[in-house]
Amino acid sequence: MISIEGMEFFSYHGHFKEEQVIGTRFMVDLFIQVDTGRAERSDSLHDTVNYLSVYQTVKQEMEQKSHLLEHVAHRILKAVHARFPDVTDAEVKISKLNPPLGGKIDRVCVTLSSDDIYE
């Protein structure tokens, strides 16, 4: 399991019009299952998933406006599986920081796994 945690983005996701104009901060944690056996022996980046490429894939999806975190999470998982065929399973957690829900709330989160997108 490889995890890339605490990726922070300023994006424009949200149901309310203001959220799509003003934007807010999001945190993304991604866990990917991939066979690391070759990389463990070779110590070569070519034998594993490149973390930078994974980050860039997540970033591209976070830059596209959506109304729902569920939709963003779904797109991230689809993009990861499409771009990195060696990934056998993945889970993504997206946290919207300081959501506009009328009170003090640290974050709201959505977590999806590969199983969720292929049902």
Side-chain angles (χ1 to χ4, degrees), residues 6-107:
M7 293 179 274
E8 188 170 337
F9 301 97
F10 191 89
S11 298
Y12 299 88
H13 309 304
H15 172 73
F16 301 110
K17 182 179 178 181
E18 296 80 13
E19 294 176 289
Q20 298 238 335
V21 173
I22 297 168
T24 194
R25 291 180 18 230
F26 294 83
M27 296 291 284
V28 178
D29 300 320
L30 180 66
F31 304 88
I32 55 176
Q33 187 70 45
V34 63
D35 182 357
T36 61
R38 286 181 294 155
E40 292 166 22
R41 292 182 295 279
S42 71
D43 196 28
S44 173
L45 182 59
H46 298 291
D47 290 332
T48 191
V49 174
N50 184 319
Y51 310 156
L52 174 59
S53 297
V54 174
Y55 171 80
Q56 290 170 335
T57 300
V58 173
K59 183 177 184 231
Q60 286 173 346
E61 295 303 322
M62 289 299 292
E63 289 173 345
Q64 296 180 43
K65 288 183 183 181
S66 288
H67 291 281
L68 300 175
L69 294 181
E70 292 87 336
H71 183 70
V72 181
H74 181 91
R75 284 199 335 261
I76 289 171
L77 289 173
K78 293 288 273 189
V80 166
H81 279 286
R83 186 159 180 203
F84 307 100
D86 290 342
V87 171
T88 58
D89 193 27
E91 180 177 284
V92 65
K93 177 180 177 182
I94 303 176
S95 304
K96 178 187 274 189
L97 307 179
N98 303 311
L101 299 177
K104 178 161 176 28
I105 301 170
D106 287 339
R107 70 192 81 216

